[in-house]
Amino acid sequence: MRLEGKNAIVTGGGSGFGAGIARIFAREGAQVMVADINAEAARAIAEEVGGIAQTVDVADGASVAAMTQAALTAWGRIDILVNNAGITHLPKPLEDVSEEEFDRVLAVNAKSVYLTAREIVPQMKAQGAGAILNIASTAGLSPRPRLNWYNASKGWMITATKAMAVELAPAGIRVNALAPVAGETPLLSSFMGEDTPEMRAKFLSTIPIGRFSTPDDMGEAAAFLCSDAASMITGVAMEVDGGRCI
């Protein structure tokens, strides 16, 4: 019960890593808002974990404001924010990524962190405590070819995490990031370009532990970083990658 008495928002919580984080958070005693652009997926996970479902487009300021207000109406305070929602463009030469694809990747992966901070940081400052966790990627530390602008968006997220941590520490707010390797999530096929045994073997050959990351891996790491056990940890980008970045 590491998160007993805590209220947590998990964006992109309807599937993949976000669903894993929501499940582990609930197991550890947190009240969880499962926020996702897919309303049906959010409802399914929220029902499973006894939480609240919220439809949100994390790239839209009004939608993020509505999500924040819904959480405050339900709980009165927000203790934990997990910025997990993310997308990628398909593997291709960097100059072939369309402007529309670029804008969407940066809006969902980067602008969303600004929008949630704009709404939720003032609440955390008022209560003198809070934990923000940004779900980055090994792509932001050790980029793969042909995913250039996705890599860049995750590098942005890691730098944003460190900058936020420095500024918000005096207010009692900790900000950390997780950097997972490719995992068994809906984005896996997009990273690989095609989901074939050969492509999976190619990806796995770069991971010393020899497997993809799982939603539970992410949930356990997230629960630690957002718990009081990590009260002296802020500004880190923890690699949950089976050794890929070594």
Side-chain angles (χ1 to χ4, degrees):
M1 301 296 283
R2 289 175 287 178
L3 301 177
E4 188 172 12
K6 304 288 190 183
N7 303 319
I9 296 174
V10 181
T11 70
S15 65
F17 290 151
I21 292 169
R23 291 184 181 108
I24 299 295
F25 276 21
R27 186 198 73 192
E28 293 297 320
Q31 294 291 321
V32 182
M33 172 177 280
V34 181
D36 204 290
I37 198 167
N38 183 326
E40 185 176 342
R43 270 195 306 272
I45 299 299
E47 288 177 8
E48 179 185 336
V49 304
I52 302 169
Q54 177 72 23
T55 306
V56 66
D57 177 355
V58 295
D60 180 79
S63 186
V64 171
M67 174 190 75
T68 304
Q69 189 55 55
L72 291 172
T73 298
W75 300 323
R77 61 181 284 144
I78 299 165
D79 301 294
I80 299 168
L81 165 66
V82 181
N83 286 306
N84 168 76
I87 60 169
T88 185
H89 56 79
L90 294 176
K92 63 181 74 175
L94 62 89
E95 69 271 24
D96 290 345
V97 175
S98 70
E99 185 174 355
E100 182 181 10
E101 288 174 306
F102 175 89
D103 286 346
R104 185 61 180 159
V105 167
L106 269 291
V108 175
N109 295 1
K111 184 182 179 183
S112 62
V113 178
Y114 154 71
L115 291 174
T116 57
R118 185 178 69 174
E119 297 299 328
I120 294 172
V121 163
Q123 310 298 323
M124 291 182 169
K125 281 184 173 180
Q127 65 205 25
I132 298 172
L133 184 64
N134 298 322
I135 307 304
S137 171
T138 54
L141 297 166
S142 179
R144 295 183 188 270
R146 296 168 56 84
L147 287 170
N148 196 85
W149 308 115
Y150 171 78
N151 298 334
S153 74
K154 292 302 186 178
W156 183 97
M157 182 178 275
I158 291 168
T159 299
T161 295
K162 294 177 181 294
M164 293 168 71
V166 170
E167 181 170 334
L168 297 178
I173 303 168
R174 296 185 301 108
V175 188
N176 291 297
L178 291 180
V181 73
E184 294 284 1
T185 75
L187 282 182
L188 181 59
S189 60
S190 296
F191 291 134
M192 294 190 296
E194 54 179 347
D195 192 350
T196 64
E198 294 77 17
M199 190 60 72
R200 281 182 172 244
K202 181 179 178 181
F203 263 65
L204 285 172
S205 70
T206 69
I207 305 172
I209 279 182
R211 67 172 176 83
F212 292 115
S213 55
T214 68
D216 277 358
D217 292 328
M218 293 296 291
E220 296 289 359
F224 167 66
L225 284 178
C226 293
S227 75
D228 293 340
S231 62
M232 192 56 176
I233 301 175
T234 196
V236 307
M238 180 186 288
E239 297 155 25
V240 186
D241 68 347
R244 179 185 179 272
C245 287
I246 296 171

mmCIF file with all atom_site columns, all heavy atoms in Angstrom, residues 30-57:
data_model
loop_
_atom_site.group_PDB
_atom_site.id
_atom_site.type_symbol
_atom_site.label_atom_id
_atom_site.label_alt_id
_atom_site.label_comp_id
_atom_site.label_asym_id
_atom_site.label_entity_id
_atom_site.label_seq_id
_atom_site.pdbx_PDB_ins_code
_atom_site.Cartn_x
_atom_site.Cartn_y
_atom_site.Cartn_z
_atom_site.occupancy
_atom_site.B_iso_or_equiv
_atom_site.pdbx_formal_charge
_atom_site.auth_seq_id
_atom_site.auth_comp_id
_atom_site.auth_asym_id
_atom_site.auth_atom_id
_atom_site.pdbx_PDB_model_num
ATOM 1   N N   . ALA A 1 30 ? -3.837  3.712  -4.266  1.00 0.00 ? 30 ALA A N   1
ATOM 2   C CA  . ALA A 1 30 ? -4.196  5.022  -4.805  1.00 0.00 ? 30 ALA A CA  1
ATOM 3   C C   . ALA A 1 30 ? -5.597  5.025  -5.396  1.00 0.00 ? 30 ALA A C   1
ATOM 4   O O   . ALA A 1 30 ? -6.091  4.002  -5.887  1.00 0.00 ? 30 ALA A O   1
ATOM 5   C CB  . ALA A 1 30 ? -3.190  5.439  -5.877  1.00 0.00 ? 30 ALA A CB  1
ATOM 6   N N   . GLN A 1 31 ? -6.224  6.207  -5.379  1.00 0.00 ? 31 GLN A N   1
ATOM 7   C CA  . GLN A 1 31 ? -7.412  6.460  -6.176  1.00 0.00 ? 31 GLN A CA  1
ATOM 8   C C   . GLN A 1 31 ? -6.912  6.926  -7.546  1.00 0.00 ? 31 GLN A C   1
ATOM 9   O O   . GLN A 1 31 ? -6.085  7.837  -7.617  1.00 0.00 ? 31 GLN A O   1
ATOM 10  C CB  . GLN A 1 31 ? -8.276  7.540  -5.545  1.00 0.00 ? 31 GLN A CB  1
ATOM 11  C CG  . GLN A 1 31 ? -8.893  7.142  -4.211  1.00 0.00 ? 31 GLN A CG  1
ATOM 12  C CD  . GLN A 1 31 ? -9.958  6.073  -4.383  1.00 0.00 ? 31 GLN A CD  1
ATOM 13  O OE1 . GLN A 1 31 ? -10.731 6.102  -5.335  1.00 0.00 ? 31 GLN A OE1 1
ATOM 14  N NE2 . GLN A 1 31 ? -10.000 5.129  -3.462  1.00 0.00 ? 31 GLN A NE2 1
ATOM 15  N N   . VAL A 1 32 ? -7.407  6.309  -8.614  1.00 0.00 ? 32 VAL A N   1
ATOM 16  C CA  . VAL A 1 32 ? -6.838  6.562  -9.935  1.00 0.00 ? 32 VAL A CA  1
ATOM 17  C C   . VAL A 1 32 ? -7.875  7.105  -10.900 1.00 0.00 ? 32 VAL A C   1
ATOM 18  O O   . VAL A 1 32 ? -8.979  6.565  -11.018 1.00 0.00 ? 32 VAL A O   1
ATOM 19  C CB  . VAL A 1 32 ? -6.237  5.263  -10.531 1.00 0.00 ? 32 VAL A CB  1
ATOM 20  C CG1 . VAL A 1 32 ? -5.607  5.544  -11.898 1.00 0.00 ? 32 VAL A CG1 1
ATOM 21  C CG2 . VAL A 1 32 ? -5.201  4.662  -9.587  1.00 0.00 ? 32 VAL A CG2 1
ATOM 22  N N   . MET A 1 33 ? -7.505  8.191  -11.588 1.00 0.00 ? 33 MET A N   1
ATOM 23  C CA  . MET A 1 33 ? -8.269  8.650  -12.743 1.00 0.00 ? 33 MET A CA  1
ATOM 24  C C   . MET A 1 33 ? -7.580  8.112  -13.987 1.00 0.00 ? 33 MET A C   1
ATOM 25  O O   . MET A 1 33 ? -6.416  8.429  -14.244 1.00 0.00 ? 33 MET A O   1
ATOM 26  C CB  . MET A 1 33 ? -8.345  10.177 -12.816 1.00 0.00 ? 33 MET A CB  1
ATOM 27  C CG  . MET A 1 33 ? -8.974  10.675 -14.126 1.00 0.00 ? 33 MET A CG  1
ATOM 28  S SD  . MET A 1 33 ? -9.154  12.478 -14.202 1.00 0.00 ? 33 MET A SD  1
ATOM 29  C CE  . MET A 1 33 ? -10.651 12.687 -13.216 1.00 0.00 ? 33 MET A CE  1
ATOM 30  N N   . VAL A 1 34 ? -8.304  7.300  -14.745 1.00 0.00 ? 34 VAL A N   1
ATOM 31  C CA  . VAL A 1 34 ? -7.797  6.756  -15.999 1.00 0.00 ? 34 VAL A CA  1
ATOM 32  C C   . VAL A 1 34 ? -8.230  7.710  -17.104 1.00 0.00 ? 34 VAL A C   1
ATOM 33  O O   . VAL A 1 34 ? -9.395  7.763  -17.478 1.00 0.00 ? 34 VAL A O   1
ATOM 34  C CB  . VAL A 1 34 ? -8.335  5.339  -16.257 1.00 0.00 ? 34 VAL A CB  1
ATOM 35  C CG1 . VAL A 1 34 ? -7.773  4.780  -17.558 1.00 0.00 ? 34 VAL A CG1 1
ATOM 36  C CG2 . VAL A 1 34 ? -7.989  4.414  -15.090 1.00 0.00 ? 34 VAL A CG2 1
ATOM 37  N N   . ALA A 1 35 ? -7.290  8.489  -17.601 1.00 0.00 ? 35 ALA A N   1
ATOM 38  C CA  . ALA A 1 35 ? -7.590  9.513  -18.602 1.00 0.00 ? 35 ALA A CA  1
ATOM 39  C C   . ALA A 1 35 ? -7.064  9.066  -19.953 1.00 0.00 ? 35 ALA A C   1
ATOM 40  O O   . ALA A 1 35 ? -5.890  8.709  -20.080 1.00 0.00 ? 35 ALA A O   1
ATOM 41  C CB  . ALA A 1 35 ? -6.956  10.841 -18.203 1.00 0.00 ? 35 ALA A CB  1
ATOM 42  N N   . ASP A 1 36 ? -7.921  9.084  -20.957 1.00 0.00 ? 36 ASP A N   1
ATOM 43  C CA  . ASP A 1 36 ? -7.517  8.577  -22.267 1.00 0.00 ? 36 ASP A CA  1
ATOM 44  C C   . ASP A 1 36 ? -8.393  9.214  -23.338 1.00 0.00 ? 36 ASP A C   1
ATOM 45  O O   . ASP A 1 36 ? -9.550  9.553  -23.080 1.00 0.00 ? 36 ASP A O   1
ATOM 46  C CB  . ASP A 1 36 ? -7.660  7.048  -22.313 1.00 0.00 ? 36 ASP A CB  1
ATOM 47  C CG  . ASP A 1 36 ? -6.764  6.396  -23.360 1.00 0.00 ? 36 ASP A CG  1
ATOM 48  O OD1 . ASP A 1 36 ? -7.030  6.565  -24.570 1.00 0.00 ? 36 ASP A OD1 1
ATOM 49  O OD2 . ASP A 1 36 ? -5.798  5.726  -22.970 1.00 0.00 ? 36 ASP A OD2 1
ATOM 50  N N   . ILE A 1 37 ? -7.849  9.347  -24.540 1.00 0.00 ? 37 ILE A N   1
ATOM 51  C CA  . ILE A 1 37 ? -8.643  9.879  -25.650 1.00 0.00 ? 37 ILE A CA  1
ATOM 52  C C   . ILE A 1 37 ? -9.690  8.868  -26.098 1.00 0.00 ? 37 ILE A C   1
ATOM 53  O O   . ILE A 1 37 ? -10.706 9.222  -26.697 1.00 0.00 ? 37 ILE A O   1
ATOM 54  C CB  . ILE A 1 37 ? -7.718  10.294 -26.822 1.00 0.00 ? 37 ILE A CB  1
ATOM 55  C CG1 . ILE A 1 37 ? -8.463  11.247 -27.774 1.00 0.00 ? 37 ILE A CG1 1
ATOM 56  C CG2 . ILE A 1 37 ? -7.146  9.063  -27.537 1.00 0.00 ? 37 ILE A CG2 1
ATOM 57  C CD1 . ILE A 1 37 ? -7.548  11.955 -28.760 1.00 0.00 ? 37 ILE A CD1 1
ATOM 58  N N   . ASN A 1 38 ? -9.451  7.588  -25.771 1.00 0.00 ? 38 ASN A N   1
ATOM 59  C CA  . ASN A 1 38 ? -10.379 6.505  -26.075 1.00 0.00 ? 38 ASN A CA  1
ATOM 60  C C   . ASN A 1 38 ? -11.284 6.302  -24.857 1.00 0.00 ? 38 ASN A C   1
ATOM 61  O O   . ASN A 1 38 ? -10.872 5.697  -23.860 1.00 0.00 ? 38 ASN A O   1
ATOM 62  C CB  . ASN A 1 38 ? -9.607  5.226  -26.411 1.00 0.00 ? 38 ASN A CB  1
ATOM 63  C CG  . ASN A 1 38 ? -10.507 4.066  -26.816 1.00 0.00 ? 38 ASN A CG  1
ATOM 64  O OD1 . ASN A 1 38 ? -11.621 3.923  -26.308 1.00 0.00 ? 38 ASN A OD1 1
ATOM 65  N ND2 . ASN A 1 38 ? -10.017 3.212  -27.702 1.00 0.00 ? 38 ASN A ND2 1
ATOM 66  N N   . ALA A 1 39 ? -12.496 6.823  -24.927 1.00 0.00 ? 39 ALA A N   1
ATOM 67  C CA  . ALA A 1 39 ? -13.402 6.801  -23.776 1.00 0.00 ? 39 ALA A CA  1
ATOM 68  C C   . ALA A 1 39 ? -13.726 5.383  -23.328 1.00 0.00 ? 39 ALA A C   1
ATOM 69  O O   . ALA A 1 39 ? -13.777 5.093  -22.120 1.00 0.00 ? 39 ALA A O   1
ATOM 70  C CB  . ALA A 1 39 ? -14.690 7.552  -24.114 1.00 0.00 ? 39 ALA A CB  1
ATOM 71  N N   . GLU A 1 40 ? -13.941 4.490  -24.281 1.00 0.00 ? 40 GLU A N   1
ATOM 72  C CA  . GLU A 1 40 ? -14.298 3.107  -23.930 1.00 0.00 ? 40 GLU A CA  1
ATOM 73  C C   . GLU A 1 40 ? -13.147 2.413  -23.211 1.00 0.00 ? 40 GLU A C   1
ATOM 74  O O   . GLU A 1 40 ? -13.355 1.710  -22.221 1.00 0.00 ? 40 GLU A O   1
ATOM 75  C CB  . GLU A 1 40 ? -14.669 2.341  -25.203 1.00 0.00 ? 40 GLU A CB  1
ATOM 76  C CG  . GLU A 1 40 ? -15.176 0.929  -24.943 1.00 0.00 ? 40 GLU A CG  1
ATOM 77  C CD  . GLU A 1 40 ? -15.618 0.230  -26.222 1.00 0.00 ? 40 GLU A CD  1
ATOM 78  O OE1 . GLU A 1 40 ? -15.853 0.910  -27.237 1.00 0.00 ? 40 GLU A OE1 1
ATOM 79  O OE2 . GLU A 1 40 ? -15.722 -1.012 -26.195 1.00 0.00 ? 40 GLU A OE2 1
ATOM 80  N N   . ALA A 1 41 ? -11.927 2.632  -23.700 1.00 0.00 ? 41 ALA A N   1
ATOM 81  C CA  . ALA A 1 41 ? -10.759 2.027  -23.054 1.00 0.00 ? 41 ALA A CA  1
ATOM 82  C C   . ALA A 1 41 ? -10.579 2.569  -21.646 1.00 0.00 ? 41 ALA A C   1
ATOM 83  O O   . ALA A 1 41 ? -10.263 1.827  -20.708 1.00 0.00 ? 41 ALA A O   1
ATOM 84  C CB  . ALA A 1 41 ? -9.515  2.280  -23.892 1.00 0.00 ? 41 ALA A CB  1
ATOM 85  N N   . ALA A 1 42 ? -10.767 3.878  -21.475 1.00 0.00 ? 42 ALA A N   1
ATOM 86  C CA  . ALA A 1 42 ? -10.650 4.487  -20.151 1.00 0.00 ? 42 ALA A CA  1
ATOM 87  C C   . ALA A 1 42 ? -11.664 3.893  -19.191 1.00 0.00 ? 42 ALA A C   1
ATOM 88  O O   . ALA A 1 42 ? -11.342 3.575  -18.034 1.00 0.00 ? 42 ALA A O   1
ATOM 89  C CB  . ALA A 1 42 ? -10.831 5.998  -20.245 1.00 0.00 ? 42 ALA A CB  1
ATOM 90  N N   . ARG A 1 43 ? -12.894 3.718  -19.666 1.00 0.00 ? 43 ARG A N   1
ATOM 91  C CA  . ARG A 1 43 ? -13.949 3.158  -18.810 1.00 0.00 ? 43 ARG A CA  1
ATOM 92  C C   . ARG A 1 43 ? -13.611 1.732  -18.386 1.00 0.00 ? 43 ARG A C   1
ATOM 93  O O   . ARG A 1 43 ? -13.811 1.359  -17.226 1.00 0.00 ? 43 ARG A O   1
ATOM 94  C CB  . ARG A 1 43 ? -15.296 3.171  -19.541 1.00 0.00 ? 43 ARG A CB  1
ATOM 95  C CG  . ARG A 1 43 ? -16.104 4.424  -19.336 1.00 0.00 ? 43 ARG A CG  1
ATOM 96  C CD  . ARG A 1 43 ? -17.554 4.241  -19.764 1.00 0.00 ? 43 ARG A CD  1
ATOM 97  N NE  . ARG A 1 43 ? -17.676 3.749  -21.124 1.00 0.00 ? 43 ARG A NE  1
ATOM 98  C CZ  . ARG A 1 43 ? -17.715 4.519  -22.200 1.00 0.00 ? 43 ARG A CZ  1
ATOM 99  N NH1 . ARG A 1 43 ? -17.623 5.842  -22.051 1.00 0.00 ? 43 ARG A NH1 1
ATOM 100 N NH2 . ARG A 1 43 ? -17.831 4.013  -23.400 1.00 0.00 ? 43 ARG A NH2 1
ATOM 101 N N   . ALA A 1 44 ? -13.103 0.938  -19.317 1.00 0.00 ? 44 ALA A N   1
ATOM 102 C CA  . ALA A 1 44 ? -12.810 -0.466 -19.018 1.00 0.00 ? 44 ALA A CA  1
ATOM 103 C C   . ALA A 1 44 ? -11.744 -0.588 -17.930 1.00 0.00 ? 44 ALA A C   1
ATOM 104 O O   . ALA A 1 44 ? -11.895 -1.376 -16.977 1.00 0.00 ? 44 ALA A O   1
ATOM 105 C CB  . ALA A 1 44 ? -12.356 -1.191 -20.283 1.00 0.00 ? 44 ALA A CB  1
ATOM 106 N N   . ILE A 1 45 ? -10.664 0.177  -18.053 1.00 0.00 ? 45 ILE A N   1
ATOM 107 C CA  . ILE A 1 45 ? -9.604  0.103  -17.047 1.00 0.00 ? 45 ILE A CA  1
ATOM 108 C C   . ILE A 1 45 ? -10.067 0.707  -15.734 1.00 0.00 ? 45 ILE A C   1
ATOM 109 O O   . ILE A 1 45 ? -9.771  0.185  -14.644 1.00 0.00 ? 45 ILE A O   1
ATOM 110 C CB  . ILE A 1 45 ? -8.313  0.780  -17.548 1.00 0.00 ? 45 ILE A CB  1
ATOM 111 C CG1 . ILE A 1 45 ? -7.793  0.088  -18.805 1.00 0.00 ? 45 ILE A CG1 1
ATOM 112 C CG2 . ILE A 1 45 ? -7.240  0.760  -16.454 1.00 0.00 ? 45 ILE A CG2 1
ATOM 113 C CD1 . ILE A 1 45 ? -7.434  -1.377 -18.631 1.00 0.00 ? 45 ILE A CD1 1
ATOM 114 N N   . ALA A 1 46 ? -10.811 1.807  -15.792 1.00 0.00 ? 46 ALA A N   1
ATOM 115 C CA  . ALA A 1 46 ? -11.319 2.430  -14.569 1.00 0.00 ? 46 ALA A CA  1
ATOM 116 C C   . ALA A 1 46 ? -12.223 1.476  -13.799 1.00 0.00 ? 46 ALA A C   1
ATOM 117 O O   . ALA A 1 46 ? -12.136 1.383  -12.565 1.00 0.00 ? 46 ALA A O   1
ATOM 118 C CB  . ALA A 1 46 ? -12.063 3.723  -14.899 1.00 0.00 ? 46 ALA A CB  1
ATOM 119 N N   . GLU A 1 47 ? -13.073 0.768  -14.512 1.00 0.00 ? 47 GLU A N   1
ATOM 120 C CA  . GLU A 1 47 ? -13.941 -0.214 -13.846 1.00 0.00 ? 47 GLU A CA  1
ATOM 121 C C   . GLU A 1 47 ? -13.116 -1.322 -13.218 1.00 0.00 ? 47 GLU A C   1
ATOM 122 O O   . GLU A 1 47 ? -13.399 -1.778 -12.105 1.00 0.00 ? 47 GLU A O   1
ATOM 123 C CB  . GLU A 1 47 ? -14.940 -0.795 -14.852 1.00 0.00 ? 47 GLU A CB  1
ATOM 124 C CG  . GLU A 1 47 ? -16.035 0.182  -15.257 1.00 0.00 ? 47 GLU A CG  1
ATOM 125 C CD  . GLU A 1 47 ? -16.968 -0.393 -16.313 1.00 0.00 ? 47 GLU A CD  1
ATOM 126 O OE1 . GLU A 1 47 ? -16.848 -1.610 -16.612 1.00 0.00 ? 47 GLU A OE1 1
ATOM 127 O OE2 . GLU A 1 47 ? -17.803 0.359  -16.842 1.00 0.00 ? 47 GLU A OE2 1
ATOM 128 N N   . GLU A 1 48 ? -12.087 -1.742 -13.915 1.00 0.00 ? 48 GLU A N   1
ATOM 129 C CA  . GLU A 1 48 ? -11.230 -2.823 -13.410 1.00 0.00 ? 48 GLU A CA  1
ATOM 130 C C   . GLU A 1 48 ? -10.520 -2.431 -12.116 1.00 0.00 ? 48 GLU A C   1
ATOM 131 O O   . GLU A 1 48 ? -10.383 -3.253 -11.197 1.00 0.00 ? 48 GLU A O   1
ATOM 132 C CB  . GLU A 1 48 ? -10.190 -3.197 -14.469 1.00 0.00 ? 48 GLU A CB  1
ATOM 133 C CG  . GLU A 1 48 ? -9.219  -4.288 -14.054 1.00 0.00 ? 48 GLU A CG  1
ATOM 134 C CD  . GLU A 1 48 ? -8.136  -4.533 -15.074 1.00 0.00 ? 48 GLU A CD  1
ATOM 135 O OE1 . GLU A 1 48 ? -8.345  -4.232 -16.277 1.00 0.00 ? 48 GLU A OE1 1
ATOM 136 O OE2 . GLU A 1 48 ? -7.055  -5.007 -14.676 1.00 0.00 ? 48 GLU A OE2 1
ATOM 137 N N   . VAL A 1 49 ? -10.071 -1.175 -12.036 1.00 0.00 ? 49 VAL A N   1
ATOM 138 C CA  . VAL A 1 49 ? -9.272  -0.756 -10.876 1.00 0.00 ? 49 VAL A CA  1
ATOM 139 C C   . VAL A 1 49 ? -10.076 0.025  -9.846  1.00 0.00 ? 49 VAL A C   1
ATOM 140 O O   . VAL A 1 49 ? -9.526  0.480  -8.848  1.00 0.00 ? 49 VAL A O   1
ATOM 141 C CB  . VAL A 1 49 ? -8.046  0.081  -11.320 1.00 0.00 ? 49 VAL A CB  1
ATOM 142 C CG1 . VAL A 1 49 ? -7.213  -0.693 -12.315 1.00 0.00 ? 49 VAL A CG1 1
ATOM 143 C CG2 . VAL A 1 49 ? -8.457  1.443  -11.898 1.00 0.00 ? 49 VAL A CG2 1
ATOM 144 N N   . GLY A 1 50 ? -11.383 0.178  -10.090 1.00 0.00 ? 50 GLY A N   1
ATOM 145 C CA  . GLY A 1 50 ? -12.213 0.934  -9.157  1.00 0.00 ? 50 GLY A CA  1
ATOM 146 C C   . GLY A 1 50 ? -11.909 2.411  -9.166  1.00 0.00 ? 50 GLY A C   1
ATOM 147 O O   . GLY A 1 50 ? -12.009 3.095  -8.140  1.00 0.00 ? 50 GLY A O   1
ATOM 148 N N   . GLY A 1 51 ? -11.561 2.915  -10.351 1.00 0.00 ? 51 GLY A N   1
ATOM 149 C CA  . GLY A 1 51 ? -11.193 4.325  -10.470 1.00 0.00 ? 51 GLY A CA  1
ATOM 150 C C   . GLY A 1 51 ? -12.203 5.148  -11.231 1.00 0.00 ? 51 GLY A C   1
ATOM 151 O O   . GLY A 1 51 ? -13.357 4.751  -11.401 1.00 0.00 ? 51 GLY A O   1
ATOM 152 N N   . ILE A 1 52 ? -11.767 6.294  -11.706 1.00 0.00 ? 52 ILE A N   1
ATOM 153 C CA  . ILE A 1 52 ? -12.599 7.235  -12.453 1.00 0.00 ? 52 ILE A CA  1
ATOM 154 C C   . ILE A 1 52 ? -12.116 7.259  -13.894 1.00 0.00 ? 52 ILE A C   1
ATOM 155 O O   . ILE A 1 52 ? -10.914 7.337  -14.149 1.00 0.00 ? 52 ILE A O   1
ATOM 156 C CB  . ILE A 1 52 ? -12.487 8.658  -11.874 1.00 0.00 ? 52 ILE A CB  1
ATOM 157 C CG1 . ILE A 1 52 ? -12.888 8.690  -10.402 1.00 0.00 ? 52 ILE A CG1 1
ATOM 158 C CG2 . ILE A 1 52 ? -13.320 9.654  -12.688 1.00 0.00 ? 52 ILE A CG2 1
ATOM 159 C CD1 . ILE A 1 52 ? -12.541 10.005 -9.714  1.00 0.00 ? 52 ILE A CD1 1
ATOM 160 N N   . ALA A 1 53 ? -13.037 7.216  -14.845 1.00 0.00 ? 53 ALA A N   1
ATOM 161 C CA  . ALA A 1 53 ? -12.687 7.339  -16.262 1.00 0.00 ? 53 ALA A CA  1
ATOM 162 C C   . ALA A 1 53 ? -12.873 8.779  -16.703 1.00 0.00 ? 53 ALA A C   1
ATOM 163 O O   . ALA A 1 53 ? -13.837 9.446  -16.311 1.00 0.00 ? 53 ALA A O   1
ATOM 164 C CB  . ALA A 1 53 ? -13.557 6.414  -17.103 1.00 0.00 ? 53 ALA A CB  1
ATOM 165 N N   . GLN A 1 54 ? -11.949 9.268  -17.504 1.00 0.00 ? 54 GLN A N   1
ATOM 166 C CA  . GLN A 1 54 ? -12.044 10.624 -18.032 1.00 0.00 ? 54 GLN A CA  1
ATOM 167 C C   . GLN A 1 54 ? -11.543 10.643 -19.462 1.00 0.00 ? 54 GLN A C   1
ATOM 168 O O   . GLN A 1 54 ? -10.421 10.204 -19.740 1.00 0.00 ? 54 GLN A O   1
ATOM 169 C CB  . GLN A 1 54 ? -11.208 11.587 -17.186 1.00 0.00 ? 54 GLN A CB  1
ATOM 170 C CG  . GLN A 1 54 ? -11.178 13.014 -17.684 1.00 0.00 ? 54 GLN A CG  1
ATOM 171 C CD  . GLN A 1 54 ? -12.504 13.741 -17.467 1.00 0.00 ? 54 GLN A CD  1
ATOM 172 O OE1 . GLN A 1 54 ? -13.292 13.367 -16.590 1.00 0.00 ? 54 GLN A OE1 1
ATOM 173 N NE2 . GLN A 1 54 ? -12.749 14.770 -18.253 1.00 0.00 ? 54 GLN A NE2 1
ATOM 174 N N   . THR A 1 55 ? -12.369 11.133 -20.380 1.00 0.00 ? 55 THR A N   1
ATOM 175 C CA  . THR A 1 55 ? -11.942 11.293 -21.765 1.00 0.00 ? 55 THR A CA  1
ATOM 176 C C   . THR A 1 55 ? -11.141 12.582 -21.879 1.00 0.00 ? 55 THR A C   1
ATOM 177 O O   . THR A 1 55 ? -11.577 13.635 -21.416 1.00 0.00 ? 55 THR A O   1
ATOM 178 C CB  . THR A 1 55 ? -13.151 11.356 -22.715 1.00 0.00 ? 55 THR A CB  1
ATOM 179 O OG1 . THR A 1 55 ? -13.973 10.210 -22.496 1.00 0.00 ? 55 THR A OG1 1
ATOM 180 C CG2 . THR A 1 55 ? -12.690 11.376 -24.161 1.00 0.00 ? 55 THR A CG2 1
ATOM 181 N N   . VAL A 1 56 ? -9.946  12.493 -22.478 1.00 0.00 ? 56 VAL A N   1
ATOM 182 C CA  . VAL A 1 56 ? -9.093  13.677 -22.587 1.00 0.00 ? 56 VAL A CA  1
ATOM 183 C C   . VAL A 1 56 ? -8.259  13.615 -23.856 1.00 0.00 ? 56 VAL A C   1
ATOM 184 O O   . VAL A 1 56 ? -7.812  12.548 -24.272 1.00 0.00 ? 56 VAL A O   1
ATOM 185 C CB  . VAL A 1 56 ? -8.172  13.814 -21.351 1.00 0.00 ? 56 VAL A CB  1
ATOM 186 C CG1 . VAL A 1 56 ? -7.154  12.680 -21.282 1.00 0.00 ? 56 VAL A CG1 1
ATOM 187 C CG2 . VAL A 1 56 ? -7.449  15.168 -21.355 1.00 0.00 ? 56 VAL A CG2 1
ATOM 188 N N   . ASP A 1 57 ? -8.085  14.767 -24.475 1.00 0.00 ? 57 ASP A N   1
ATOM 189 C CA  . ASP A 1 57 ? -7.087  14.954 -25.522 1.00 0.00 ? 57 ASP A CA  1
ATOM 190 C C   . ASP A 1 57 ? -5.980  15.770 -24.881 1.00 0.00 ? 57 ASP A C   1
ATOM 191 O O   . ASP A 1 57 ? -6.132  16.974 -24.654 1.00 0.00 ? 57 ASP A O   1
ATOM 192 C CB  . ASP A 1 57 ? -7.690  15.690 -26.719 1.00 0.00 ? 57 ASP A CB  1
ATOM 193 C CG  . ASP A 1 57 ? -6.666  15.986 -27.818 1.00 0.00 ? 57 ASP A CG  1
ATOM 194 O OD1 . ASP A 1 57 ? -5.467  15.706 -27.620 1.00 0.00 ? 57 ASP A OD1 1
ATOM 195 O OD2 . ASP A 1 57 ? -7.063  16.514 -28.875 1.00 0.00 ? 57 ASP A OD2 1
#
